[in-house]
Amino acid sequence: MIWLIGHLLAVCIGLSLGLIGGGGSILAVPILVYVMGLGSKGAIAMSLVIVGTVSLMGAIPHWRQGNVNLKIAVIFTPAAMLGAYIGARMAGLPFVTGSFQLICFGVVMVIASTLMIRQSHSKSALAHAGMSIDNAMDKDQGHHWLLIPVEGIGVGVLTGFVGVGGGFMIIPALVLLGGIPMKEAIGTSLLIIAANSATGFLGYLNQVSVDWALVSSFTLAAGIGTVAGSYLTQFINARQLQKGFGYFVLAVAIFVLIKR
């Protein structure tokens, strides 16, 4: 029964990634720890494999819909991958215990939920309406483009250290700094998350043991959800979903901080 519940929840991981371009690791780590009974470090490492693979799968239908911006992905991804590897190696430091990582994870979830809720009312709404933010930023466009790889490093460190793919930070960066529509930011973020997760997992090699059977079955279940979510983006307002998901993430964050 626990196995079945865990894998049904894994489908929700995929739906989150496919619909709003993030939230996969925010769901994956608590599910692996509190439902499947894994240790925090192992859960974080495995979540990177699951979310990275599923994000890559989810990027395919977005690519076919024309919602992946390769130019911005190339600017953002290398810095994010470097940050992810650094964050994963930091997790191996002697003072970084599993409990400490879970506390950091819970704090990041609180921040993520707050950003998700605020973004649903913010300038990102303009992107949903098909309006380009960069029209309002012409004077400082060069400056804003330079900030994209800087944020990439920060997102990468979070990815490697607490296993969060960073979609909640990547998407507003792509919309507000890159000036691209929300749906394009969602598709592009999936490609970036896949690259981040792969590099972050490399940083965990020799730190943890991985249950590859569980990783494979979770990835399959989440992959089904991602393909469905990516398809449903054509009919569903992702901004409203993000607001509701933000409140859900806040509730999960409080649970993690209490149960740590």
Side-chain angles (χ1 to χ4, degrees):
M1 181 61 69
I2 291 175
W3 187 92
L4 179 61
I5 292 172
H7 285 74
L8 287 174
L9 292 172
V11 175
C12 297
I13 294 171
L15 282 170
S16 171
L17 285 165
L19 283 169
I20 64 174
S25 297
I26 285 176
L27 294 177
V29 173
I31 291 170
L32 291 172
V33 172
Y34 299 111
V35 178
M36 306 307 294
L38 299 180
S40 56
K41 284 187 182 290
I44 289 171
M46 290 169 62
S47 76
L48 290 172
V49 181
I50 296 165
V51 172
T53 304
V54 171
S55 295
L56 188 59
M57 294 170 61
I60 295 172
H62 280 282
W63 174 278
R64 291 177 176 172
Q65 296 169 27
N67 290 332
V68 175
N69 189 313
L70 279 180
K71 178 181 177 182
I72 289 185
V74 168
I75 294 172
F76 197 104
T77 303
M81 291 176 71
L82 174 62
Y85 185 79
I86 292 171
R89 299 311 296 175
M90 287 170 57
L93 295 173
F95 67 88
V96 179
T97 64
S99 294
F100 179 73
Q101 278 186 289
L102 281 180
I103 291 171
C104 292
F105 179 80
V107 171
V108 169
M109 287 180 72
V110 171
I111 296 170
S113 63
T114 303
L115 288 174
M116 287 177 184
I117 294 165
R118 290 185 63 185
Q119 285 160 20
S120 67
H121 301 291
S122 69
K123 291 181 180 179
S124 61
L126 295 177
H128 278 282
M131 300 174 67
S132 178
I133 303 293
D134 61 348
N135 290 334
M137 299 181 172
D138 287 337
K139 294 182 180 179
D140 300 316
Q141 191 64 39
H143 172 68
H144 288 291
W145 277 83
L146 288 174
L147 288 176
I148 292 177
V150 173
E151 180 156 357
I153 293 177
V155 169
V157 171
L158 277 180
T159 299
F161 190 68
V162 296
V164 174
F168 67 93
M169 292 178 65
I170 295 171
I171 292 173
L174 299 184
V175 171
L176 298 175
L177 303 181
I180 64 176
M182 176 63 79
K183 286 191 175 182
E184 193 171 314
I186 290 172
T188 306
S189 77
L190 290 173
L191 193 60
I192 295 169
I193 289 170
N196 281 4
S197 299
T199 310
F201 178 72
L202 289 177
Y204 275 97
L205 290 179
N206 302 322
Q207 291 190 46
V208 298
S209 59
V210 177
D211 184 342
W212 289 107
L214 183 60
V215 167
S216 300
S217 59
F218 250 63
T219 301
L220 178 61
I224 293 170
T226 301
V227 172
S230 299
Y231 175 75
L232 290 173
T233 55
Q234 301 174 77
F235 314 105
I236 297 176
N237 187 324
R239 181 167 59 92
Q240 292 303 318
L241 281 174
Q242 185 176 359
K243 179 181 178 181
F245 187 72
Y247 285 111
F248 173 73
V249 168
L250 181 59
V252 175
I254 293 170
F255 173 81
V256 169
L257 289 171
I258 292 172
K259 291 283 290 183
R260 64 169 179 81

